[in-house]
């Protein structure tokens, strides 16, 4: 079942789009079905769950932290995390840098932007992010690498609205790319979930985070 869903999704993905299989709340036995079907990139949104799955599962998995990350929990995932999607403050970035240094790693990060109408979603406003990127403090962070942006659209059936929000994130990406990150490694736009990943790809996503369409709905 899981292998079938996974293959159906992968069949339609353009080559330049990475599929993050969002395995939060799902047991290792189910996640291993996706692993055995060839999937190696998984996303979790809680630190404790991410750490215990990392410890239990094969070591060639790339684990992505896709949820809101508290500064005091960075230390638990710093040794192994492949990509942190939800960076939304300088304080958090400084801690990731500090932990990266401690583990002699450069930790890859995405800047999360607030693109939805809902108040509850985390993320930078553009002006806040620009201020951070222009600061001297930011330039001193050598153990992090910003490789792109991440955002979540409003939870709605209104396709026009969702497209507008994805377009906005794409524009932010282009802006940051031309002003701050001219290097080729700034190449990731993480947008799109089970309900909207096809729209997201049409609007320029290079990384989709899909959970329920692979593993079934969560409680
Ligand atoms: C849970 C989650 C997803 C996946 O959601 P589905 O609708 O199950 O595909 C994607 N991104 C983030 C940040 C999530 O927390």
């Amino acid at each position: 079942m899981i292998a079938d869903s996974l293959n159906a999704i992968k069949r339609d993905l353009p080559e330049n789009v990475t599929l993050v299989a969002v395995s939060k709340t799902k047991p290792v036995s189910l996640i291993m079905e996706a692993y055995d079907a060839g999937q190696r990139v998984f996303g979790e949104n809680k630190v404790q769950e991410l750490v215990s799955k990392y410890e239990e599962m094969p070591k060639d998995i790339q684990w992505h932290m896709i949820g809101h990350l508290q500064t005091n929990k960075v230390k638990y995932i710093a040794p192994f995390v492949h990509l942190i999607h939800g960076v939304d403050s300088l304080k958090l970035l400084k801690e990731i840098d500090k932990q990266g240094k401690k583990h002699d790693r450069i930790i890859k990060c995405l800047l999360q932007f607030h693109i939805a109408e809902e108040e509850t979603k985390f993320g930078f406003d553009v002006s806040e992010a620009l201020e951070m990127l222009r600061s001297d403090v930011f330039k001193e962070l050598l153990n992090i690498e910003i490789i792109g942006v991440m955002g979540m659209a409003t939870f709605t059936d209104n396709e026009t609205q969702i497209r507008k929000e994805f377009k906005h994130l794409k524009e932010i990406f282009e802006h940051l790319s031309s002003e701050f990150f001219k290097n080729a490694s700034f190449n990731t736009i993480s947008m799109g979930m089970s309900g909207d990943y096809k729209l997201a790809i049409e609007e320029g996503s290079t990384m989709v985070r899909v959970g329920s369409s692979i593993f079934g709905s969560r409680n």
Side-chain angles (χ1 to χ4, degrees):
M1 263 281 287
I2 286 176
D4 291 346
S5 323
L6 193 58
N7 289 328
I9 292 168
K10 284 203 312 213
R11 216 169 20 239
D12 293 338
L13 285 190
E15 235 176 88
N16 69 316
V17 177
T18 302
L19 172 63
V20 181
V22 176
S23 48
K24 63 191 188 194
T25 78
K26 300 296 178 182
V28 166
S29 57
L30 281 191
I31 308 171
M32 277 309 293
E33 286 187 36
Y35 180 89
D36 290 336
Q39 182 67 21
R40 292 293 181 271
V41 183
F42 293 91
E44 290 282 335
N45 70 339
K46 296 217 161 67
V47 165
Q48 203 176 7
E49 197 174 337
L50 177 55
V51 171
S52 72
K53 286 173 178 172
Y54 163 73
E55 285 169 354
E56 275 185 68
M57 295 190 64
K59 292 297 170 282
D60 61 343
I61 291 176
Q62 297 181 359
W63 289 103
H64 290 210
M65 175 62 192
I66 62 168
H68 182 66
L69 179 58
Q70 285 174 282
T71 307
N72 62 353
K73 294 195 173 160
V74 174
K75 56 178 178 282
Y76 302 114
I77 63 171
F80 68 89
V81 69
H82 185 79
L83 179 62
I84 298 176
H85 287 234
V87 174
D88 62 358
S89 73
L90 179 56
K91 178 168 167 253
L92 178 58
L93 206 51
K94 280 164 73 175
E95 177 63 16
I96 298 170
D97 182 69
K98 182 177 145 192
Q99 296 298 330
K101 202 164 291 160
K102 196 176 270 177
H103 295 281
D104 197 22
R105 303 184 64 205
I106 293 173
I107 299 178
K108 287 190 253 180
C109 298
L110 302 177
L111 298 181
Q112 182 173 359
F113 284 89
H114 183 271
I115 54 169
E117 274 189 342
E118 294 141 28
E119 273 304 318
T120 53
K121 303 252 161 95
F122 295 104
F124 280 110
D125 290 328
V126 176
S127 59
E128 285 173 335
L130 294 179
E131 191 187 334
M132 177 182 86
L133 294 171
R134 286 170 183 152
S135 72
D136 291 335
V137 182
F138 176 76
K139 295 181 187 107
E140 286 160 16
L141 306 178
L142 303 178
N143 287 76
I144 52 111
E145 183 179 24
I146 309 283
I147 64 158
V149 299
M150 179 267 203
M152 288 167 86
T154 304
F155 187 71
T156 172
D157 289 334
N158 184 342
E159 199 180 299
T160 314
Q161 170 86 27
I162 296 171
R163 276 189 196 279
K164 193 180 83 187
E165 293 171 1
F166 286 153
K167 280 193 168 74
H168 184 204
L169 188 60
K170 172 88 196 264
E171 283 164 13
I172 294 170
F173 171 82
E174 301 292 353
H175 177 176
L176 299 188
S177 177
S178 65
E179 186 174 344
F180 301 99
F181 303 105
K182 298 194 176 70
N183 50 332
S185 58
F186 189 79
N187 60 11
T188 304
I189 304 177
S190 168
M191 62 184 186
M193 318 188 354
S194 292
D196 56 19
Y197 76 88
K198 288 179 184 163
L199 290 184
I201 290 168
E202 287 173 18
E203 299 302 338
S205 173
T206 69
M207 187 173 277
V208 293
R209 309 175 309 268
V210 179
S212 44
S213 290
I214 298 171
F215 296 105
S217 58
R218 294 173 298 269
N219 296 328

